[in-house]
């Protein structure tokens, strides 16, 4: 009796045959491979763990492994950044463990490698002291574990590593069979080496033409099976041969299997053309195109289990696929694992740690507490926070208590050293306080994340009595969030998204290989930063079998080879020419398969959304109320975009506004005169930006500060005319009052910045133009009301001076330029509004004296700014009439001045939809 | 394809070689041949490093090399395999590798991540603000806060250069200032106008005439000037008058005019000289002030830089700049140098003209003993804004070829001979020393002969004078756009013959053969619109800020509202937008009924206006979804409920709009990562806006369309016809507060007494240099643009002179006569955009969701389904682990059960041993598990089953139709299957399907439940099992059909772990 290696390049048929014979336990790397043989799934790994456990050892949990490893690295290498180094080194050390059963005798010339080996050995020792091994050491240990061999049928382990081989060799009893396909291609060099090794261990090879062992029953079974199950000699087998360079397979591989070549990229409906390649324009269209074909198959009765979507970079495709699948109603399942930091819970906890560290800053805490994991969005918590701008623990504690019924007291206790178990206990309580388990229960994945996190947290409690500072413990928390994972999409059912590696040994009627792009498939072979290929070469001499560059490249190619073998009926390859802004070339594998990616044929419509996009202008009767709404919206938007005059969707409501009693302020009139829609939005729709206190000062706050300081200084000077206006003490006192009134205490670096503002004000006060000799302020920041051009107006004037010539009206400007005026006939915002209004309405309303002058005074520029001589002030009455017409006719088109100065500081851009479209609209003055 | 002689010289040189590769001269081909050459010399791909500047170029190079080797070295599969691991990458990837491999020496966190382009500026802005706030106050001495902020910001944008510049002082720049001043003086004095004016003024005199005064004054000034009092003299010259003087006194009009002319030219000269300030350039008080500030600036810079670096280290991130800086740091260490010298022996570096000085240094250390191949074209160096410096290339060329000349590739495979001759002629005088004439490989006959054409807009005086007609630059540009559209249309309808590159044959021109390349994105939209209006497909690849697009604003408003329903403005924007298209009349009426201090949403919720009901319901639905769905999904849902994308897909520019919508979705995806919270996304969007980050718009996919792109974007590409528009636009110059140069120092514009910003002398010098460099680069940019053309080159401008036209003037002058584009008011009107063509309805329309179906399920799934299909869905479809309240671990009952099984399976009898299988269970729980196991081991109830046990923990699967049920039977005997239960309460009916499945799968007629807690054995006999057969079939049918309707009820919901997540739970 013997053990057999079966090297048939097409192993499936033989495996199927063997699997029906009694007496073997089937061993497969994946559920999918087991499913292909209709047998339960039993992986090598599980058997190895059993063997290990029988010997009383266990695999260390990730957390334990990481902690031990960190300690070892710290002890041996004493790096500056222990944690980072441990993280960066662990993969390298693990590949070392995998590569050799015994590292004890290995020496290295390079210092760094020697150190790495030291770490690896010390790590092994540290683990074994606690009865553990590292997961990557599993097979070597299992191979030495003295388990009784069993008769096994090993299928799907087509590229066994040395450690796997060792375990297979130990596990397999007489009569066992290992499938290790070999075809006539240099790609199989490593497989051949594996076979050679097995032969040395006494295995017998049974090759393609070697029918010795295929007894009569086997023959019958195989042919019977092939009749019942057309999938046996399927497309995949011939494709994989083509992939290896055997062109003859193209036409003679199976019944009617043919690889359609470049000239005929084929028809869109899948199943008609067994192998097609498509070049989609974008990643989005690739995903849509692929899922549309999938949907067509499903609708045609194909079972989800018979279809697979395969991507080398499944993580990159996952989210997009899931989204479009949602739109299409195609059940899709992404199976890869994703770190806790990509879940709500993980991100939230991470944010919590950040907030604790930064002592409850506004932005971070606001996001933390308004998150669905902490609050109920209906309670307008955010709106309150935005208005109050709390910072620091105390402020937030009050707010959370008042608005979320949440007591934050536990979080105040963070900054101290504690025993490990107390830390863990505190955090368990924090989780409880925020009721996270229940809040996570809304999502399957978050629930899993919670369970994962919580049980890992428990593990942190040991050794209980160890004292940790917050920063130590914080690091461990962060580490957890970084290293723990949950499935991207838990659950089951639907079309599965796989990587080429994960489908080895499986069987699918239809496979869609997406992302066939240069640089993606084959993925460039990464270079381990610690054990690069040069170093690996050196270590080979000592039987440390770390895979070489060429080996890894062959592995990658063989994964595709075996992926091809899974297909029974049709396969569609595709790649996007554009991914975001990145241009992609197609994968060299396509050429290897004799395929030239063609343009996909017009896609089917696979969702209601796509249907609406296509049919909106078809004028077909429809019952889709959303489509009807969209048709309306389209007409509205089309009108807005066109050169047609504004209508009721563009500010022209046609409802007169009775302005008789309406008090207009200067800025209202300016808005109306600059862009009627602006006034409409603000005053009639009663809209404005949401109230919010900012972290930083905005220019208007600085303006207020300046105004207030000048007011205070002049008031005081009025009482002490003996002093200079620019008297520094007076200024400083005034400044101190004003800043207390107006500057929030939380403004960063205010003590530094105030100096600058003080200087500006000091210079202004010293400027002779500020208060010309002979002028005496008689009014500071005074309110007035009056009538002007038949409008009721009111406002506040900064200053009125009395001079020999008469009253002088002054408006302060922080900056150096005049305020933007209202529109003249040609639409330029150049008619000054404010000074004329002051002259007529403010002066006389407050003092019964003649007005001699009115001007702006620039505080920063330290100069008087009079009306521009070019300003067409004679047009003012007409401009005001236009404003009135707007009001009388309910006509508020989106019509800013031609230079769009009005838009520069306008909050309504998002509302008014201004933009290029306005250049096509004719300027209307009040009426159409 | 073979190699030309020139290419061969480069490709097969045994030594290092520097190659100047003109546009289209086949350098990638040469490089892949060179790669092959080295392989043939016995180098492994692992020993060869190839560096390019973009990922695209790296991918292309790898692909080219792979196919070269595959076809010509088929007998070396090992090399082909190793190639996949070869370092063929961008510069950044190379630097990143060095940092990773030598983290400690490079002083980077060993597990650093590279920050992306969006995150980086936000992060930088945040941390920078912190740094400024914490900067020790003594640094602020003499430097106001806002100035400090601006200066540091500018310096930190290029920290290495800044650090060097800060070390410089007056000694370093003073000689340069003097040199520049002298040079300006010399130029002034030798200016022909100066000489001739002087001559004229000396030749005539008219004593007594009014003008005579000015003549004399001018002569005095000239003397003064020549004596070295330049400033004074210029002031005098600048104030001379010529509106006086009589012909009579001067003896005729000619003389008078000559004298006036002379004075005028002097005045102009003086005016110009005063404006540039070079002749009088000398250190001024602002230089002194800068000198005084320097120590504090240095300190502050170092402090802040350090602060940022520490923050980065802590967060384990680096940005793109850091990679180079730290790689350089690592390479300063001899051990690192040795490490790479051992590994890398051959370097191929492409686009070397784009190397910056730091990269230059980096390469210098890396390649000290290696064989080098550097390829570049100084004429195509257009990345100075990324600090690329052609001088690096020039220095390396000299270094590699000390004795001989670098190899030149000058045979263009791209451009036709006729055209290349013209291009040579244009650029010979423009590029001067840099120029390298090209030859053409393509000499075939083409009708009409390839050539350059030039069109400029001219405005009749009549129009110019007419105030009612807008003839400003924008209007002229619209006329230019019409002309371009005409030209494109003509070429297409005339079926102009072009040379098809792949086939080498002539064929009719198509839209994709034409490209419009402009210096900036700005005007492209205009040209695109004009062409699109003729029904010619266009492709504007991108440009502009995604956040400024209407689609992004609409989607952003929706998210804003969902994040904060009290944001009435966002709500109103959503209502007005194509999401709902509510009219302003309705909104007005609505707003009129708004109670005081009430937000729109609060009011809308209770509003009964039927015109608003669609919006009210939809938004309500979205707000509910907001609790569980990610922002990206909310956008999708918003589209589904309103048909938003159906609207934009039918508006003009539909492709662009849809791409922007999708692009915004992708942006949201990157912003939501992890938190999936709308508010977080909105806040980060606001941060992006505040930090003025340009979020690039997604590119549009090709197709057969006229391309519109920037010249920078066109690098490496080619088209049969290239149009370079907008040539008259003059470059804008910025005037930052601070300028710095690694060799000269840091210069500032500081406030004078009057608060005006004034330039220091060094500032003027640096400004001058910058302008000179800019104008040199402008030439190269034009060179790149013009050499993209294969056959035809069309230049257009909205004016007759200015900008690029002026630059090309010396070359165009005698070669091409500009054709006029006459201005006409109707051509200057904005073009109405055209709607996309109405798409036909495809044959296949699939509107309804497809069935899910399952391949495999655990056997327990049937039991779940039997209890409540929705519960089944939660557990098996969604993979929800369920919710149990309280503080225990997720499900201690289940854990305990598992442990009992483990004890039984492995025959464990010791609590300590068992405990290791459940480290987080308490010891009591472990003991309980053990005692439950003992029940089975000892109780007489199970005696026969113990005796007949054949397999423990036996995996089984049962296939029913398309479904496979998998499970593990606890115990299999001769004629029975048995399952242990540790439940508190016995509900055998809950497990009937499980046991049924086991018995059917194993073919055993009997099944038992062993309730260990109750020491009770519950049997299912053959008959009982048979009755389950049919029920089971029904269940399977139901679940495969996707029927998940809940069966809520007191009992079912009471024990359901999904109560929390379930919207259908039973209520009293
Ligand atoms: S953004 Fe401009 S057009 Fe729009 S409302 Fe404001 S001012 Fe008017």
């Amino acid at each position: 009796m013997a053990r057999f290696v079966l090297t048939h390049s097409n192993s499936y048929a033989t495996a199927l045959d063997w699997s029906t014979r009694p007496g073997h336990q089937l061993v497969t790397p994946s559920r999918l491979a087991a499913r292909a043989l209709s047998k339960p799934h039993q992986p090598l790994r599980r058997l190895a763990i059993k063997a290990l456990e029988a010997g009383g050892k266990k695999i260390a949990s990730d957390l334990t492994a990481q902690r031990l490893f960190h300690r070892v690295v710290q002890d041996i290498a004493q790096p500056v950044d222990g944690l980072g180094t441990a993280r960066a080194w662990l993969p390298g050390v693990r590949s070392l463990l995998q590569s050799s059963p015994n590292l004890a005798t290995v020496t290295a010339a390079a210092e760094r490698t020697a150190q790495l080996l030291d770490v690896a050995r010390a790590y092994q020792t540290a683990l074994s002291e606690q009865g553990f091994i590292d997961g990557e050491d599993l097979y070597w240990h299992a191979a030495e574990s003295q388990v009784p061999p069993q008769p096994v049928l090993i299928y799907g382990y087509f590229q066994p590593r040395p450690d796997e081989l060792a375990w297979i060799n130990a596990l397999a009893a007489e009569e066992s069979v290992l499938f290790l396909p070999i075809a006539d291609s240099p790609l199989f060099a490593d497989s051949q080496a594996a076979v050679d090794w097995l032969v040395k261990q006494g295995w017998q090879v049974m090759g393609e033409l070697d029918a010795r062992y295929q007894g009569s029953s086997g023959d019958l079974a195989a042919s019977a099976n092939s009749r019942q199950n057309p999938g046996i000699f399927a497309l995949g087998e011939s494709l994989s041969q083509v992939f290896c360079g055997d062109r003859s397979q193209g036409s003679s591989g199976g019944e009617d299997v043919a690889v359609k070549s470049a000239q005929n990229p084929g028809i869109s409906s899948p199943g008609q053309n067994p192998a097609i390649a498509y070049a989609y324009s974008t990643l989005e269209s690739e995903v849509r195109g692929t899922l549309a074909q999938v949907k067509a198959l499903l609708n045609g009765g194909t079972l989800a289990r018979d279809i697979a979507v395969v991507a080398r970079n499944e993580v990159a495709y996952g989210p997009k696929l899931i989204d479009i699948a949602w739109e299409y109603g195609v059940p899709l399942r992404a199976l890869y694992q994703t770190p806790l930091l990509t879940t709500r819970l993980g991100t939230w906890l991470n944010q919590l740690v950040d907030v604790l560290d930064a002592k409850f800053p506004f932005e971070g805490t606001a996001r933390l507490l308004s998150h669905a994991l902490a609050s109920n969005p209906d309670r307008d918590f955010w709106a309150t926070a935005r208005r109050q701008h709390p910072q620091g623990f105390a402020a937030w504690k009050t707010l959370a208590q008042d608005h979320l019924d949440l007591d934050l007291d536990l979080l105040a206790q963070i900054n101290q050293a504690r025993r490990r178990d107390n830390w863990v206990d505190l955090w368990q309580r924090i989780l409880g306080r925020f009721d996270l388990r229940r809040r996570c229960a809304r999502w399957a994945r978050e629930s899993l994340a919670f369970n994962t996190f919580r049980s890992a947290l428990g593990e942190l409690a040991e050794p209980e009595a160890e004292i940790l500072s917050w920063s130590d413990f914080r690091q461990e928390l962060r580490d957890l969030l970084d290293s723990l994972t949950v499935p991207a999409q838990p659950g089951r059912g639907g079309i599965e998204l796989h990587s080429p590696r994960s489908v080895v040994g499986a069987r699918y009627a239809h496979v869609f290989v997406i992302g066939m792009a240069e640089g993606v498939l084959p993925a460039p072979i990464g270079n381990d930063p610690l054990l690069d290929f040069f170093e690996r070469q050196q270590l080979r001499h000592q039987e440390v079998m770390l895979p070489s560059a060429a080996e890894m490249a062959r592995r990658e190619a063989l994964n595709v080879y075996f992926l091809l073998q899974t297909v029974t009926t049709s396969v569609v390859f595709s790649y996007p020419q554009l991914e975001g802004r990145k241009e992609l070339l197609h994968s060299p594998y396509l050429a290897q398969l004799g395929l030239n990616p063609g343009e996909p044929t017009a896609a089917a419509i696979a969702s209601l959304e796509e249907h609406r996009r296509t049919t909106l202008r078809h004028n077909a009767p429809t019952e889709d109320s959303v489509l009807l709404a969209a048709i309306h919206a389209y007409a509205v938007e089309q009108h807005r975009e066109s050169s047609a005059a504004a209508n009721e969707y563009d500010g022209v409501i046609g409802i007169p506004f009775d302005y008789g009693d309406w008090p207009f302020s200067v800025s209202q009139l300016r808005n109306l005169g600059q862009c009627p829609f602006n006034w409409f939005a603000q005053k009639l729709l009663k809209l404005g930006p949401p109230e919010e206190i900012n972290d930083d000062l905005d220019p208007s706050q600085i303006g207020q500060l300046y105004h207030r300081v000048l007011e205070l200084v002049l008031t005081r000077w009025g009482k002490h005319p003996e002093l200079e206006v620019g008297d520094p003490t007076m200024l400083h006192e005034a400044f101190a009052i004003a800043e207390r009134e107006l500057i929030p205490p939380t403004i960063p670096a205010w003590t530094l910045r105030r100096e600058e503002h003080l200087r500006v004000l000091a210079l202004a006060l010293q400027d002779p133009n500020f208060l010309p000799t002979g002028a005496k302020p008689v009014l500071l920041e005074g309110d007035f009301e009056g009538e002007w051009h038949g409008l009721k107006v009111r406002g506040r004037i900064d200053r009125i001076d009395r001079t020999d010539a008469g009253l002088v009206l002054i408006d302060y400007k922080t900056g150096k330029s005049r305020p933007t005026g209202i529109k003249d006939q040609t639409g330029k915002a150049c008619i000054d509004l404010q000074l004329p209004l002051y002259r007529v309405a403010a002066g006389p309303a407050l003092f019964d004296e003649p007005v001699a002058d009115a001007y702006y005074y620039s505080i920063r520029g330290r100069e008087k700014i009079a009306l521009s001589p070019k300003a067409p002030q004679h047009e003012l009455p007409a401009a005001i009439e236009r404003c009135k017409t707007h009001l009388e006719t309910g006509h508020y088109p989106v019509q800013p001045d031609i230079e769009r100065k009005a838009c520069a500081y306008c909050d309504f851009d998002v509302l008014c939809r201004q933009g290029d479209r306005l250049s096509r609209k004719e300027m209307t003055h009040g009426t159409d | 394809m073979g190699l030309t002689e020139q290419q061969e010289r480069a490709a097969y040189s045994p030594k290092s070689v520097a190659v100047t590769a003109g546009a289209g001269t086949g350098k990638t081909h040469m490089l892949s041949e060179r790669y092959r050459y080295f392989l043939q010399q016995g180098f492994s791909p692992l020993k060869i490093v190839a560096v390019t500047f973009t990922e695209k170029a790296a991918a292309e190079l790898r692909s080219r090399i792979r196919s070269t080797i595959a076809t010509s070295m088929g007998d070396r599969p090992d090399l082909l395999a190793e190639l996949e691991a070869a370092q063929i990458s961008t510069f950044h990837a190379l630097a990143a590798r060095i940092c990773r491999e030598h983290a400690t020496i490079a002083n980077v966190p060993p597990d650093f991540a590279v920050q992306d382009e969006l995150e980086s500026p936000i992060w930088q802005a945040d941390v920078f603000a912190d740094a400024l706030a914490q900067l020790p106050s003594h640094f602020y001495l003499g430097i106001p806060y806002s100035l400090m902020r601006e200066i540091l910001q500018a310096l930190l944008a290029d920290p290495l250069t800044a650090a060097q510049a800060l070390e410089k002082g007056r000694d370093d720049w003073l000689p340069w200032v003097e040199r520049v001043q002298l040079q300006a003086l010399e130029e002034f004095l030798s200016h022909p106008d100066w000489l001739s004016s002087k001559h004229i003024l000396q030749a005539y005199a008219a004593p007594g005439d009014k003008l005579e005064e000015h003549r004399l004054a001018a002569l005095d000034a000239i003397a003064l000037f020549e004596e070295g009092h330049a400033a004074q003299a210029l002031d005098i010259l600048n104030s001379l008058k010529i509106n006086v003087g009589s012909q009579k006194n001067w003896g005729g009009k000619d003389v008078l005019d000559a004298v006036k002319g002379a004075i005028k030219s002097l005045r102009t000269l003086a005016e110009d000289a005063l404006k540039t300030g070079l002749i009088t350039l000398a250190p001024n008080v602002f230089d002194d002030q800068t000198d005084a500030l320097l120590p504090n600036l240095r300190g502050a810079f170092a402090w802040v830089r350090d602060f940022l670096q520490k923050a980065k280290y802590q967060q384990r991130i680096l940005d793109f700049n850091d990679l180079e800086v730290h790689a350089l740091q690592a390479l300063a260490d001899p051990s690192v140098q040795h490490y790479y010298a051992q590994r890398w022996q051959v370097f191929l570096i492409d686009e070397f003209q784009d190397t910056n000085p730091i990269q230059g240094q980096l390469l210098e250390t890396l390649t000290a003993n290696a064989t080098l191949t550097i390829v570049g074209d100084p004429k195509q160096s257009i990345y100075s804004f990324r600090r690329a410096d052609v001088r690096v290339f020039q220095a390396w060329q000299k270094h590699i070829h000390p004795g001989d000349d670098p190899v030149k590739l000058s045979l263009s495979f791209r451009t036709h001979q006729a055209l290349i001759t013209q291009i040579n002629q244009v650029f010979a005088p423009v590029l001067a020393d840099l120029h390298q004439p090209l030859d053409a490989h393509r000499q075939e006959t083409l009708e009409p002969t390839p050539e350059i054409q030039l069109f400029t807009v001219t405005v009749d005086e009549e129009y110019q004078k007419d105030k009612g007609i807008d003839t400003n630059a924008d209007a002229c540009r619209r006329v230019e756009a019409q002309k371009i559209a005409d030209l494109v249309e003509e070429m297409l309808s005339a079926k102009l013959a072009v040379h098809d590159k792949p086939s080498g044959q002539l064929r009719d021109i198509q839209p994709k053969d034409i490209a419009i390349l402009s210096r900036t994105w700005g005007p492209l939209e205009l040209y695109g619109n004009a062409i699109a209006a003729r029904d010619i497909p266009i492709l504007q690849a991108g440009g502009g800020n995604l956040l400024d697009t209407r689609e992004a604003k609409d989607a952003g408003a929706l998210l804003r509202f969902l994040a904060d329903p009290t944001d009435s403005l966002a709500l109103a924007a959503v209502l007005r937008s194509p999401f709902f298209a509510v009219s302003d009349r309705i909104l007005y009426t609505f707003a009129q009924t708004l109670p005081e201090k009430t937000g729109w949403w609060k009011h809308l919720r209770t509003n009964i206006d039927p015109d608003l009901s669609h919006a009210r319901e939809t938004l309500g639905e979205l707000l509910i979804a907001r609790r569980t769905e990610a922002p990206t999904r909310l956008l999708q849902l918003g589209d589904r409920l309103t048909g938003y994308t159906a609207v934009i897909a039918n508006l003009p520019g539909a492709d662009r709009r849809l791409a922007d919508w999708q692009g915004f979705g992708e942006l949201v995806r990157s912003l939501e990562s992890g938190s999936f919270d709308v508010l977080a996304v909105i806040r980060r969007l606001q941060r992006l806006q505040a930090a003025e980050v340009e979020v690039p718009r997604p590119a549009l996919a090709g197709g057969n369309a006229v391309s519109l792109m920037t010249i920078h974007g066109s690098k490496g590409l080619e088209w049969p016809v290239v149009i370079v528009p907008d040539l008259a636009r003059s470059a804008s110059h910025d005037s930052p507060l601070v300028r710095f140069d690694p060799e000269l120092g840091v210069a500032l514009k500081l406030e004078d007494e009057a608060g005006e910003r004034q330039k220091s002398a060094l500032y003027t010098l640096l400004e001058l240099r910058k302008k000179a460099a800019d104008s040199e680069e402008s030439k190269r940019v034009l060179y790149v643009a013009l050499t993209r053309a294969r056959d035809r080159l069309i230049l257009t401008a909205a004016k007759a002179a200015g900008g690029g036209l002026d630059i090309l003037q010396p070359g165009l002058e005698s070669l091409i006569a500009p054709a006029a584009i006459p201005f006409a008011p109707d051509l200057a009107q904005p073009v109405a955009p055209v709607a996309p063509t109405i798409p036909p309805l495809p044959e296949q329309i699939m509107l309804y969701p497809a069935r899910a179906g399952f391949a495999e399920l655990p056997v327990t799934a049937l039991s779940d389904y039997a209890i409540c299909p929705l519960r089944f869905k939660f557990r098996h479809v969604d993979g929800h682990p369920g919710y149990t309240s309280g503080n225990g671990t997720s499900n201690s009952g289940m854990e305990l059960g598992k442990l009992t099984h483990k004890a039984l399976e492995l025959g464990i009898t010791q609590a300590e041993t068992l405990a290791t299988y459940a480290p987080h269970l308490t010891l009591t729980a472990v003991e309980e598990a053990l005692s439950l196991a003992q029940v089975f081991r000892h109780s007489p109830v199970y005696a026969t089953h113990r005796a007949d046990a054949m397999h423990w923990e036996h995996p089984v699967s049962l296939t029913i139709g398309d479904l496979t049920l998998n499970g593990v039977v606890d115990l299999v005997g001769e004629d029975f299957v048995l399952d242990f239960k540790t439940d508190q309460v016995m509900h055998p009916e809950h497990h009937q399907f499980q046991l049924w499945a086991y018995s059917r799968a194993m073919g055993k007629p009997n099944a038992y439940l062993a309730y260990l807690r109750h020491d009770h054995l519950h049997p299912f006999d053959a008959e009982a099992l048979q009755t389950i057969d049919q029920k089971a079939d029904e269940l399977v049918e139901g679940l495969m059909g996707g029927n998940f309707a809940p069966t809520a009820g007191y009992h079912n919901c009471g024990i359901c772990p999904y109560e929390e997540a379930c919207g259908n739970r039973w209520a009293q």
Side-chain angles (χ1 to χ4, degrees), chain A residues 112 378 386 532 581 756, chain B residues 101 146 343 564 627 697:
Chain A
R112 207 163 61 170
D378 290 345
R386 150 160 75 60
D532 76 341
R581 303 176 56 77
E756 239 177 291
Chain B
E101 290 181 337
S146 59
R343 282 159 175 80
D564 181 2
R627 299 174 179 212
R697 291 161 79 184

Side-chain angles (χ1 to χ4, degrees), chain B residues 66-74:
Chain B
R66 194 193 290 111
S67 65
T68 304
I69 298 171
T71 46
S72 64
M73 297 179 81

Side-chain angles (χ1 to χ4, degrees), chain A residues 675 677-678 894 896 902-903 906 908-909 912 914:
Chain A
C675 172
F677 188 84
N678 177 313
V894 181
C903 306
C906 178
F908 297 116
D909 163 77
C912 74
Q914 63 102 4

